[in-house]
Amino acid sequence: MQYTTLGNTGLKVSVAGLGCGGFSRLGLPSGKTEDEAERLVIDAVDLGINFLDTAPPYGTEATVGRALKSIPRASVIVSTKAFVHRKGEWHTPEQMVASLENSLRLMGTDYVDVFQLHGVLTSEYAYALDKLAPALLAQKAKGKIRHIGITEQPVEDFTHETLARATQDDIWEVFMVAFHMMHQSARKNLFPLTRQKRIGTMLMFAVRSIFAKPERVVAALREAAAKGQVETWLGESAAPLGFLLHAGGAADITEAAYRFARHEPGVDVVLFGTGDAAHLRSNVASLLKPPLPQADRDKLAALFGHLTGVGMDAAPMQTR
């Protein structure tokens, strides 16, 4: 495993992070037992992954807690979250603290390394900063939170407006950002700011379903070509990303997507979800490979660098 420092937090983190949400949720939606899901977390740690990201709506905090019983707590970085606005209601500071306390209970730990406000829209940011941030700082002073973060809502905020605004306020130490081969806007809109402020970055949506299913890429580019957003040939090709697959390049599109994201300047941890041990090992192997050839990276930037919002699937538990 390769490790880096998460922004200015001082945390040594694996470049591959286990995302316990998304569509996979450690395999629980597809019929995995709690024991099997717990084993998957332990397998990830055995591979050198030390970053575990979960949240209350994922339904996996208890599973992470089960795994933590057999993992030295100080050897892993645990991240969880709380909502600002949910189902038409603003969450009060008291509700947020109660969410934190419940997360600690479920995971059987006295603290979380990173506690994030979850999927914050631009219209919600002022409330998060004015009403919830003081409570976050109070919990940090008590030692229940080591570092404070915020995640964007990429299904609606394609241009990283919330996080760009958040770089102006020193409370936020960690961001969760959406970035992938056909959604590269963070390179211009956000990463220069996070690098300047030394804000730690966790990447989501590096693969998701779009690059795991070739037909999704074909459909997305056919639609984009019809709108005049990409070159016509991309919409007509049965393998529009085939140029990435060659000797010295990537073995498959999923590998290419992980290598593209992993080596982007400004990225610390690339999160991925999985419900299968073989898939876990494959993802880690991809993330530990060298960067894509520069010619391939340049072509991806030229073809897709202007696109925003492609492949931003919303998992059911994240809908408002």
Side-chain angles (χ1 to χ4, degrees):
M1 182 55 64
Q2 298 162 8
Y3 299 87
T4 190
T5 302
L6 185 63
N8 62 5
T9 66
L11 297 175
K12 180 182 178 182
V13 292
S14 53
V15 298
L18 182 63
C20 302
F23 297 121
S24 301
R25 288 191 286 144
L26 302 176
L28 293 174
S30 60
K32 294 283 186 181
T33 66
E34 283 286 350
D35 286 344
E36 290 172 319
E38 174 192 346
R39 182 69 248 176
L40 198 61
V41 176
I42 295 171
D43 287 346
V45 174
D46 287 344
L47 288 173
I49 291 175
N50 75 345
F51 197 100
L52 309 175
D53 178 73
T54 185
Y58 301 166
T60 55
E61 287 181 313
T63 306
V64 170
R66 290 177 56 158
L68 289 178
K69 292 178 181 178
S70 56
I71 300 169
R73 177 65 183 88
S75 69
V76 291
I77 308 302
V78 177
S79 168
T80 193
K81 311 175 187 74
F83 281 111
V84 172
H85 187 263
R86 183 73 165 166
K87 296 180 180 178
E89 295 183 3
W90 294 98
H91 282 211
T92 66
E94 293 76 16
Q95 287 173 307
M96 184 192 68
V97 172
S99 179
L100 168 63
E101 293 286 0
N102 193 54
S103 295
L104 295 175
R105 179 186 63 81
L106 288 171
M107 292 191 289
T109 182
D110 296 328
Y111 67 95
V112 289
D113 299 277
V114 180
F115 190 74
Q116 304 171 91
L117 296 185
H118 195 172
V120 181
L121 293 172
T122 307
S123 60
E124 300 166 353
Y125 182 75
Y127 180 89
L129 182 66
D130 297 339
K131 302 297 183 182
L132 301 184
L136 289 170
L137 290 170
Q139 295 303 307
K140 184 178 181 181
K142 293 178 180 180
K144 295 184 179 183
I145 298 171
R146 293 182 69 188
H147 302 283
I148 298 170
I150 185 171
T151 88
E152 65 182 1
Q153 223 296 17
V155 179
E156 300 180 47
D157 183 4
F158 296 158
T159 58
H160 318 283
E161 186 176 351
T162 295
L163 295 185
R165 168 66 182 84
T167 60
Q168 301 174 32
D169 300 303
D170 292 336
I171 182 175
W172 316 112
E173 303 168 88
V174 182
F175 286 174
M176 185 181 287
V177 187
F179 179 83
H180 63 61
M181 292 192 293
M182 294 195 292
H183 179 69
Q184 304 174 31
S185 53
R187 178 181 298 128
K188 178 181 179 181
N189 296 349
L190 188 62
F191 290 150
L193 299 173
T194 58
R195 296 177 75 188
Q196 179 184 4
K197 296 291 291 286
R198 296 188 62 211
I199 296 169
T201 55
M202 299 179 292
L203 215 65
M204 56 180 165
F205 286 84
V207 169
R208 203 68 171 209
S209 62
I210 187 169
F211 298 119
K213 299 177 181 178
E215 65 272 16
R216 287 289 316 282
V217 173
V218 171
L221 289 179
R222 185 184 301 121
E223 180 181 349
K227 295 178 179 178
Q229 297 172 335
V230 298
E231 296 179 21
T232 302
W233 71 268
L234 287 166
E236 298 172 344
S237 174
L241 299 182
F243 64 89
L244 297 169
L245 312 182
H246 58 88
D252 55 52
I253 299 303
T254 298
E255 178 193 303
Y258 278 128
R259 290 170 65 182
F260 174 82
R262 154 75 181 91
H263 295 284
E264 177 70 22
V267 173
D268 293 329
V269 178
V270 177
L271 297 170
F272 67 86
T274 185
D276 176 79
H279 185 237
L280 166 69
R281 292 190 295 271
S282 175
N283 288 350
V284 170
S286 295
L287 286 164
L288 295 182
K289 289 187 176 182
L292 292 175
Q294 189 60 48
D296 291 347
R297 295 187 64 86
D298 290 345
K299 189 166 184 177
L300 287 167
L303 292 175
F304 309 124
H306 59 289
L307 296 178
T308 57
V310 176
M312 296 292 107
D313 300 285
M317 74 286 295
Q318 294 180 326
T319 57
R320 280 176 151 71

